[in-house]
Amino acid sequence: MARGSEAKARRKEKRAGERAKAENMNWNEFDAPVEEDSSGDDPDTGDDSLPLPPGQSQAQADAAAEAQAAAASDRKKSKKKKMQARKPVAPVKKEEGIKTLPLIFLFLLTATTVLPAMFYLSDKFGEVFQKHHVMGSIGHRLGIGASPKKRVLSFYEKHDPDKLDEVPTILAKYYGDYPKLTKRLERKYQDYGYFLNWEQDEAPMTLALDKLTATREFVQEKFDRHAPQIAKTAARNMKHNFTFLYKRGRKVFKAQIWPHLEPF
């Protein structure tokens, strides 16, 4: 006999034994068969077993049915566990990221055709930007770096007022190379030395002083226009007194204090 059929026969015998054992566990002394008396004194004892009490036969049947149902459920659970144990577990797949090697090969294949085209386009764009002074216009409009705008405006007001509207374009054209612009203007109009030390016009201290002067003039104009006469008189007197004290204090400082502080 094959090994599988032998195991199957053993399982059947085991289940039959378990069922018989479960049925025997529910029996009691009244369920056991009555043995015949060997003496034979009572001729009326011809029955094989004694009659069961009322209702005990139904209880016995119910108990047997419950035992069979429990055994069946146990068999199903054990079978399910065995099936789960025999079922192969699928291996967990690891998440793979982006593979870089194909991307590198793709770049190497396309770079030989794309890079020359990119270089050509960059050269063309550079020529267009240089021709139309795009970067210079942006830098001039944003106010990046020192600019001789004040000197150029005053220079054209003096020599060629018709070109005042072209000053932004001229400054954008020579952005970053303003010394070349100043030399050309001085040579063209024969006015040498006009742009001497034009960088000082854009110095931070010079700009701050110009801003303070413009603010003082604006406040003075509004005050003279809208202030009452009594306030104007008081302000004029205060200005005269403070000016007198400043001059007097400066004279005393130079005459008496500064000689002691002056280095030898």
Side-chain angles (χ1 to χ4, degrees), residues 4 14 33 50 67 85 90-91 128 133 157 159 162 167-168 190 201 206 245 249:
K14 185 177 180 181
L50 294 175
V128 172
H133 313 290
E157 286 178 357
H159 295 285
D162 295 335
V167 171
Q190 297 297 316
D201 297 342
T206 304
L245 291 175

Side-chain angles (χ1 to χ4, degrees), residues 23 25 62 113 126 141 232 259:
E23 291 177 0
M25 287 175 65
D62 294 341
T113 56
R141 291 180 183 277
K232 293 179 182 179

Side-chain angles (χ1 to χ4, degrees), residues 85-101:
R86 292 178 182 177
K87 187 177 180 181
V89 180
V92 179
K93 294 182 178 180
K94 296 182 180 180
E95 296 182 359
E96 297 182 357
I98 299 175
K99 296 182 179 180
T100 56
L101 188 60

Side-chain angles (χ1 to χ4, degrees), residues 43-264:
D44 296 332
T45 57
D47 297 335
D48 295 336
S49 62
L50 294 175
L52 297 174
Q56 188 173 0
S57 60
Q58 184 65 27
Q60 181 181 355
D62 294 341
E66 291 178 359
Q68 290 179 0
S73 64
D74 293 338
R75 287 195 300 272
K76 288 182 179 180
K77 290 180 180 179
S78 61
K79 185 177 181 180
K80 188 176 181 180
K81 289 181 180 178
K82 291 179 180 179
M83 292 298 292
Q84 290 179 354
R86 292 178 182 177
K87 187 177 180 181
V89 180
V92 179
K93 294 182 178 180
K94 296 182 180 180
E95 296 182 359
E96 297 182 357
I98 299 175
K99 296 182 179 180
T100 56
L101 188 60
L103 294 177
I104 293 173
F105 281 114
L106 180 62
F107 175 76
L108 293 176
L109 290 174
T110 57
T112 55
T113 56
V114 173
L115 288 178
M118 292 177 63
F119 292 150
Y120 176 77
L121 291 176
S122 63
D123 293 339
K124 287 296 181 182
F125 280 120
E127 292 178 2
V128 172
F129 287 172
Q130 187 176 3
K131 182 179 180 180
H132 296 280
H133 313 290
V134 177
M135 300 306 295
S137 179
I138 294 173
H140 173 66
R141 291 180 183 277
L142 294 177
I144 301 174
S147 172
K149 184 177 181 180
K150 294 181 180 180
R151 295 284 184 99
V152 173
L153 286 172
S154 62
F155 187 85
Y156 277 118
E157 286 178 357
K158 179 181 178 181
H159 295 285
D160 195 355
D162 295 335
K163 290 189 176 181
L164 288 174
D165 296 335
E166 301 178 8
V167 171
T169 305
I170 295 171
L171 292 174
K173 180 179 179 180
Y174 289 94
Y175 178 77
D177 196 9
Y178 292 132
K180 185 177 180 180
L181 171 63
T182 57
K183 289 179 181 179
R184 286 188 176 184
L185 290 176
E186 289 177 350
R187 187 183 305 112
K188 181 178 180 180
Y189 293 97
Q190 297 297 316
D191 191 357
Y192 297 99
Y194 192 86
F195 293 96
L196 189 64
N197 295 328
W198 64 266
E199 294 88 352
Q200 298 298 326
D201 297 342
E202 300 293 332
M205 185 58 68
T206 304
L207 294 176
L209 292 175
D210 293 344
K211 190 67 175 178
L212 288 174
T213 303
T215 304
R216 183 178 63 80
E217 292 176 355
F218 175 77
V219 172
Q220 185 68 34
E221 181 184 358
K222 295 296 182 182
F223 182 80
D224 294 340
R225 181 179 298 180
H226 301 288
Q229 187 61 36
I230 187 172
K232 293 179 182 179
T233 304
R236 186 170 58 251
N237 294 335
M238 290 174 63
K239 182 180 180 181
H240 174 74
N241 294 333
F242 281 121
T243 304
F244 174 77
L245 291 175
Y246 170 73
K247 291 180 179 179
R248 196 67 179 270
R250 184 175 181 181
K251 187 181 295 185
V252 172
F253 177 80
K254 282 186 175 182
Q256 299 181 8
I257 300 175
W258 178 247
H260 300 284
L261 299 177
E262 187 177 6
F264 297 100

